[in-house]
Amino acid sequence: MKTRVWPAAFLVAAACGGDANVEGNYTMAVTNGENGCTIANWTVGQQSTNIPVTVRQEGGDVSAEVGGVAGIGLGLLLSQNLFTGSVDGDDIDLKIIGSTSFKSGECSYTYTADLRGTLEGDALSGDILYRAERNGHPDCAAIEGCISVKK
């Protein structure tokens, strides 16, 4: 298993031809960007480092399990800490569809996290985009189309 630092989303080892080999144990570092969805306890510019991530891969299918305090935080926000998705060439596209319900007035919503990155050499950088999935009530207007970003 590889152990690497994973800045701005990920670091991985490149594979020659076909899909990249992203399986391994990693350390992730992220910086909070804009907080369009007004996620609680989110400070723009705050950095988190030394986040353990275990990536498993079977062919084009990939999962990334986030550990430590960050994994607990994902569990509270999204109900789980396991991103799933795929690798296609040098690009990864992983997602968590959250089931933890939040409420603002009559607006009920959950969050979805999309992790997307591109491999260049042995570094894969990208973003984690959080979106609110809402029930359509007019009280949801404040989070309509919102995005919060970690880089």
Side-chain angles (χ1 to χ4, degrees), residues 1-103:
M1 299 258 3
K2 298 171 265 185
T3 301
R4 300 200 188 244
V5 176
W6 205 348
F10 304 93
L11 275 181
V12 297
C16 296
D19 293 332
N21 176 9
V22 295
E23 186 164 307
N25 294 315
Y26 300 92
T27 301
M28 184 168 71
V30 296
T31 301
N32 289 352
E34 68 179 280
N35 187 12
C37 296
T38 60
I39 296 173
N41 301 314
W42 182 294
T43 303
V44 173
Q46 180 179 359
Q47 296 181 334
S48 300
T49 60
N50 299 318
I51 302 166
V53 179
T54 301
V55 178
R56 293 180 181 83
Q57 180 176 358
E58 283 191 39
D61 295 330
V62 176
S63 67
E65 183 174 12
V66 180
V69 174
I72 293 168
L74 280 174
L76 293 172
L77 183 66
L78 301 168
S79 73
Q80 62 177 308
N81 63 336
L82 183 67
F83 286 92
T84 58
S86 61
V87 59
D88 182 11
D90 293 338
D91 297 323
I92 62 163
D93 186 0
L94 307 175
K95 178 179 283 218
I96 296 175
I97 299 173
S99 62
T100 302
S101 185
F102 298 91
K103 198 162 176 79

